[in-house]
Amino acid sequence: MRSKNLGLIVILAAILILGGCGCGSYNSLVQQDEVVKNSWNNVQSDYQRRADLIPNLVNTVKGEANFEQTTLTNVIEARAKATSVRVDPADLTPEKVQQFQQAQGQLSTALGRLLAVSEAYPNLRANDAFRNLQAQLEGTENRIKVARNDFNGTIQNYNTKVRSFPTNIFAGMMGFRPRQGFASDPGADRAPQVQF
């Protein structure tokens, strides 16, 4: 009779310990998941800030009578495409993050072309509104970089927790999977060619 009670107590203690570990692991994973979602929202917010600045920049550049219309059109189209790609923080699949990153990369390329071409227009470069917008865009690009780095840091913390033992057992049972952060654009490993 005593050994039966002792066995029952040991089994109950094991169940309580495993249940406590499971609850703690689950709550910890939920916290990390929310941090990842918040970090993604910050990334999107900074990209939205850039998208909001672009119409002002385009309108300022339009004031230069003979500015290349195709360059402006490319920027407007790239902005429209970039703002149409939305990724739900609860569904951050590698494919969706890649699609978002590609759309934003196309916008970055179009903006870079716009700013490079603007160098040929001294009246535009002397325009205070253009210079102010250019400085705001530069600051926004820095904010985007910081937000992307912060996002990658939260992804690393989350993935470490999801893959660590014994949390990985509960993570698999509860549907928590490793996530992918931002990666460099293809070709970013090669130095750009500068020609004068």
Side-chain angles (χ1 to χ4, degrees), residues 83-177:
T83 56
S84 70
V85 176
R86 290 309 229 178
V87 179
D88 181 11
D91 190 24
L92 287 173
T93 63
E95 296 81 21
K96 290 181 181 178
V97 171
Q98 180 65 29
Q99 181 186 18
F100 181 83
Q101 190 172 347
Q102 284 177 340
Q104 294 299 331
Q106 290 171 353
L107 180 55
S108 294
T109 301
L111 272 175
R113 242 182 267 122
L114 172 70
L115 295 176
V117 169
S118 70
E119 292 297 316
Y121 295 85
N123 291 342
L124 181 59
R125 284 184 305 170
N127 183 320
D128 286 337
F130 179 76
R131 286 193 312 221
N132 182 27
L133 287 167
Q134 198 172 10
Q136 286 186 42
L137 273 174
E138 182 179 313
T140 300
E141 292 298 329
N142 289 334
R143 291 168 88 167
I144 289 170
K145 180 189 177 304
V146 168
R148 285 173 58 152
N149 287 346
D150 289 348
F151 176 72
N152 282 346
T154 60
I155 289 287
Q156 179 187 8
N157 292 339
Y158 172 83
N159 287 346
T160 300
K161 184 150 301 263
V162 166
R163 295 178 60 217
S164 297
F165 183 80
T167 306
N168 63 343
I169 296 168
F170 298 107
M173 291 180 354
M174 300 297 177
F176 291 95
R177 303 278 181 258

Side-chain angles (χ1 to χ4, degrees), residues 25-66:
S25 293
Y26 178 78
N27 289 338
S28 178
L29 287 168
V30 168
Q31 277 182 321
Q32 289 291 320
D33 188 50
E34 290 302 316
V35 169
V36 167
K37 289 176 184 176
N38 182 55
S39 186
W40 177 254
N41 288 334
N42 290 341
V43 168
Q44 286 185 315
S45 174
D46 285 336
Y47 275 116
Q48 184 62 50
R49 175 182 159 81
R50 178 175 71 171
D52 292 344
L53 286 172
I54 290 171
N56 294 332
L57 182 67
V58 168
N59 287 334
T60 302
V61 171
K62 278 183 182 176
E64 186 66 29
N66 57 352

